[in-house]
Amino acid sequence: MSGLMDAPVYDEQRERRKTALLIAAGVLVLLLAILFVAGFIAGHGWFFSNLPAEHKVDRFLTAIEKKDFDTAYGVYVNDENWKANPGKYSGYPLKRFTEDWTQYSPVGEIHSHHVDISRTDGEGFWGSGTIVGSTINGKKRLFLWVQRSDGTLTYPTPHIIQY
């Protein structure tokens, strides 16, 4: 049986470290919660998880603006070396792709763009893909689907997001 005389000695420095650690952990949890929600509110997905998809769409639209259809096609099919294996993409060849983004473009000729917003869509918490909304030539909206599993782009998207 131990009594009051056997109590451990109070260690002030240890108590300060424990308090500081608890405060730091609380601040970290708060910052993570803010980051988690801020990405969604800003339109870039939880924890800003949609930014890679937005950057991909930006690279794609920039290449279309420059009329660099080889690069745009590589981004679209997620294969920078697509020329090394053109048979792999015979179902949607470069010629058809170029026609689709010039004379049959859903928004006309693209001179400028701004990636505005994105939303995770599909199955699971992180979704099976991301819908990315962009403003084209300062007035028209274009929505592209970025498939999470293979990084390819698709037009049209399964549905349009409102913003």
Side-chain angles (χ1 to χ4, degrees):
M1 184 182 231
S2 70
L4 187 55
M5 301 303 278
D6 298 329
V9 178
Y10 176 72
D11 186 350
E12 185 178 348
Q13 193 173 17
R14 181 175 181 212
E15 292 301 317
R16 281 190 189 149
R17 275 184 294 199
K18 279 180 24 180
T19 303
L21 186 61
L22 284 172
I23 290 170
V27 168
L28 180 64
V29 167
L30 181 64
L31 285 174
L32 286 173
I34 289 170
L35 186 63
F36 183 75
V37 174
F40 181 76
I41 290 172
H44 304 290
W46 302 110
F47 280 121
F48 294 89
S49 62
N50 295 345
L51 286 179
E54 291 179 22
H55 290 303
K56 180 177 277 279
V57 169
D58 184 54
R59 281 194 336 265
F60 172 74
L61 292 173
T62 298
I64 295 287
E65 282 174 28
K66 293 178 180 177
K67 297 182 181 6
D68 182 359
F69 296 108
D70 286 355
T71 299
Y73 186 72
V75 172
Y76 195 85
V77 298
N78 196 35
D79 185 358
E80 300 293 325
N81 298 315
W82 63 270
K83 289 182 181 180
N85 193 5
K88 183 176 178 183
Y89 307 104
S90 61
Y92 190 49
L94 176 64
K95 182 179 184 308
R96 173 69 191 276
F97 170 83
T98 304
E99 290 171 353
D100 286 347
W101 290 98
T102 53
Q103 66 191 73
Y104 301 119
S105 172
V107 291
E109 190 172 344
I110 299 174
H111 300 288
S112 67
H113 75 279
H114 181 268
V115 175
D116 301 323
I117 195 166
S118 60
R119 290 283 186 262
T120 301
D121 196 34
E123 308 247 337
F125 182 75
W126 297 109
S128 53
T130 306
I131 298 172
V132 179
S134 303
T135 301
I136 306 298
N137 302 333
K139 57 186 172 191
K140 294 184 179 179
R141 295 243 167 103
L142 175 70
F143 297 94
L144 291 168
W145 172 264
V146 181
Q147 182 67 34
R148 194 171 297 278
S149 62
D150 63 8
T152 57
L153 300 180
T154 304
Y155 178 84
T157 58
H159 54 273
I160 294 172
I161 52 178
Q162 299 298 316
Y163 68 100

